[in-house]
């Protein structure tokens, strides 16, 4: 997505792309990825239609496994990338890893042993994965503690923050989308303008404004800290608000499309109020693209958390990573990056698998390929 | 792939009644009427940012770095439009001078993302299937790192500084452009006119240069305009946590970081820099979207 760090852009391309990604599950071992030849497409569609859902479950399993294999590949590649980053860094690898302790002979010897630096690169690489596979993320040469323990200390706080932020985002998105879809032009224009402004405002600035008003002026919330719901409320709001407005845009588009469908008309004819049509029928249809997008906001949630933890003086992944950068504590940075990539892959994979379970249309043969064409 | 492959149920609904068409016509007309106000405002903001970036002395007479401790933390007044910060520096002046850093960082980072994304997307789009998968998977891996954390890793390994900040931001922007360009290229490569040109015997390089490239590129400047806002905002976020230009450089994120510590006594130092940042991001998004709407109308 264009949405690198913030996410102002919303084109239909972005909404469709994640769906398309599901169909091109990487090296599909079952080989059910049809070759993109034009001639056999209609034939395939026809045969799939004439042979309804009897073979649905095996296909579903195969697709599920293919998706899991893809996730495993992604994590392997992300880990390889962090390994490559250390190798490609300017200067000697050992100096990069040691950071401020580069002149300590004892630690030098330890790093050479830990990372197998006296061996060829290929052996170092295998050793790196051997340790990763055993949950050993290395040792912080600044804190003198295993990186895994450092991460385990701070990750719950970041997870709590991101989960609250996500909950706020979802509630906000549903309320905004249901309230403004299919309604008056003025209400929608107003809501769109507000959404654009909120999505464009950097979360750390929103956080500062919240801090200035609710903590310094009104004194309702603590200025800094990590414990208690009061401490998490403002940062979660700062991160969740823009993401909620972003998801609201996706959800409203889906709701509007659902309301144009014949079933919406039928429901209205049965005497349902517009609000009930939206809540009971529309949301279910609009939820699918919004679900994909919310899976993709994990990166924004984690990134927002990293920045907002600084604003609110919260302990967490962000604070840890920032201290590590200032101390040149490379193993910690790499692990923090790898952990967030793993979380991202895990969540997007879970969303795609949930799709397979929820939407029977995806169980058929190459449905999305045809939809894409 | 042909349109025939599209199942009937998934085709765009043919309008059953005239009502929907009328509504559509109304919406389009409204769009035509509404567009100028917002777009003109956005263009004005962008113009102001450009003016601030290239000729800051036209907007303010003060010095962005000169400290005056006797005038520290003063609220907004006629002499200091946005007040002064903890060192007595004029906040408005610092914002004006900061536009240059934010704009240059945003533009160069976007340029890197666009250029690399373009090359990767184009290569993926015209390559054989295995090479396409290889490039696409590599792009996916890059996209799986949250961009802030990717930037943190890059800056940690390469060291802090302006150049590395730009490189980190540029790197994290690549996947978005690469994916769009790849999708566009695939569409063009499979189109009738490319097949026809191939039948006429055009060589592969000429085919790509004359037909594929211009048609696949169309949407890129549009996306880059929208993406510029994201890059500026990302640069501010990284500066905010101290990984950008170091004090006393008046970069917007850095100004906000300094004002964070004085919110209790001088809240005004935190309002205007953030507002300038947000306004710039909004302006580039609005301009990009208006351009996108125009571009899509031109498409069949």
């Amino acid at each position: 997505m264009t949405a690198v760090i913030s996410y102002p852009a919303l084109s239909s391309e972005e909404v469709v792309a994640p769906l398309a990604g599901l169909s091109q599950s990487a090296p599909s071992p079952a080989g059910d990825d049809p070759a993109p030849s034009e001639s056999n497409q209609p034939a395939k569609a026809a045969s799939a239609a004439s042979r309804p859902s009897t073979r649905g479950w095996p296909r579903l399993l195969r697709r599920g496994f293919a998706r899991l294999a893809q996730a495993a590949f992604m994590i392997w590649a992300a880990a390889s990338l962090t390994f490559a980053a250390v190798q490609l860094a300017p200067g000697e690898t050992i100096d990069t890893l040691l950071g401020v302790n580069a002149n300590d002979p004892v630690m030098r010897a330890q790093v050479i042993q830990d990372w197998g630096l006296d061996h060829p690169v290929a052996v170092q690489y295998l050793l790196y994965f051997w340790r990763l596979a055993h949950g050993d993320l290395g040792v912080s040469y600044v804190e003198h503690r295993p990186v895994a323990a450092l991460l385990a200390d701070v990750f719950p706080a970041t997870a709590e923050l991101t989960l609250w932020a996500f909950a706020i985002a979802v509630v906000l998105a549903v309320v905004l989308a249901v309230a403004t879809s299919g309604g008056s032009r003025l209400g929608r224009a107003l809501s769109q303008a507000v959404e654009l402004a909120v999505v464009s405002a950097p979360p750390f600035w929103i956080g500062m404004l919240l801090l200035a008003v609710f903590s310094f002026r009104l004194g309702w919330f603590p200025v800094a800290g990590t414990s208690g719901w009061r401490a998490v409320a403002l940062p979660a709001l700062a991160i969740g608000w823009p993401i909620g407005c972003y998801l609201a845009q996706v959800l409203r588009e889906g709701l509007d499309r659902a309301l144009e469908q014949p079933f919406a008309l039928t429901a209205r004819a049965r005497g349902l109020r517009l609000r009930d049509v939206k809540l009971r029928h529309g949301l279910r249809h609009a939820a699918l693209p919004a679900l994909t997008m919310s899976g993709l906001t994990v990166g924004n949630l984690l990134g927002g958390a990293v920045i907002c933890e600084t604003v609110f003086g919260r302990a967490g992944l962000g604070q840890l990573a920032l201290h590590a950068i200032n101390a040149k504590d490379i193993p910690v940075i790499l692990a923090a990056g790898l952990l967030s990539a793993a979380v991202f892959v895990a969540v997007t994979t879970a969303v795609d698998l949930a799709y397979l379970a929820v939407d029977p249309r995806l169980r058929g043969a190459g449905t999305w390929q045809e939809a894409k064409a | 792939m042909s349109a025939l492959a599209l199942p009937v149920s998934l085709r765009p609904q043919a309008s059953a009644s005239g009502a929907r068409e009328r509504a559509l016509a109304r919406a389009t007309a409204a769009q035509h009427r509404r567009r100028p106000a917002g777009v003109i405002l956005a263009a004005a903001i962008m113009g102001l940012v450009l003016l601030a970036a290239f000729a800051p002395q036209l907007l303010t007479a003060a010095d962005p770095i000169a400290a005056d401790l006797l005038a520290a933390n003063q609220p907004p007044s006629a002499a200091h439009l946005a007040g002064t910060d903890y060192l007595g520096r004029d906040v408005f002046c610092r914002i004006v001078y900061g536009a240059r850093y934010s704009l240059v960082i945003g533009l160069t980072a976007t340029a890197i993302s666009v250029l690399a994304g373009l090359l990767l997307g184009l290569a993926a789009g015209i390559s054989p299937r295995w090479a396409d998968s290889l490039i696409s998977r590599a792009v996916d891996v890059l996209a799986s790192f949250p961009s802030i954390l990717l930037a943190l890793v890059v800056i940690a390994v390469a060291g802090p500084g302006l150049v590395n900040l730009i490189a980190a931001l540029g790197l994290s922007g690549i996947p978005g452009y690469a994916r769009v360009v790849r999708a566009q290229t695939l569409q063009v490569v499979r189109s009738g006119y490319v097949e026809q040109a191939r039948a006429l015997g055009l060589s592969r390089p000429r085919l790509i240069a004359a037909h594929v490239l211009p048609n696949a590129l169309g949407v890129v400047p549009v996306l880059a305009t929208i993406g510029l806002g994201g890059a500026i905002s990302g640069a501010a976020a990284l500066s905010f946590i101290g990984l950008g230009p170091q004090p006393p450089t008046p970069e917007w994120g850095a100004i906000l970081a300094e004002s964070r510590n004085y919110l209790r006594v001088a809240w005004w130092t935190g309002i205007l820099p953030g507002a300038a940042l947000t306004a710039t991001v909004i302006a580039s998004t609005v301009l990009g979207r208006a351009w996108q709407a125009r571009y899509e109308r031109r498409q069949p």
Side-chain angles (χ1 to χ4, degrees), chain A residues 4-5 8-9 89 205 208 311 340 373, chain B residues 147 149 157 172-173 226 260 270 289:
Chain A
V4 268
I5 281 164
W205 185 53
M208 278 175 61
V311 178
S340 41
Chain B
S147 41
L149 282 144
V157 173
S172 64
I226 299 176
R260 156 75 179 85
R289 278 190 190 172

Side-chain angles (χ1 to χ4, degrees), chain A residues 25-71:
Chain A
S25 37
S28 163
D32 63 348
D33 225 332
S37 84
E38 301 204 5
S39 55
N40 74 352
Q41 282 287 335
K44 222 176 161 64
S47 70
S50 65
R51 216 177 348 94
S53 57
T54 46
R55 291 183 18 136
W57 279 103
R59 262 190 213 289
L60 178 63
L61 279 182
R62 248 190 309 176
R63 276 177 179 254
F65 276 124
R67 191 62 189 80
L68 284 177
Q70 190 185 350

Side-chain angles (χ1 to χ4, degrees), chain A residues 189-215:
Chain A
L190 210 65
S191 156
Q192 273 174 340
V194 171
E195 280 159 21
L196 177 61
V198 172
V199 165
S200 303
F204 64 89
W205 185 53
I206 297 183
M208 278 175 61
L209 295 184
L210 290 173
L211 201 60
V213 174
F214 291 105
S215 294

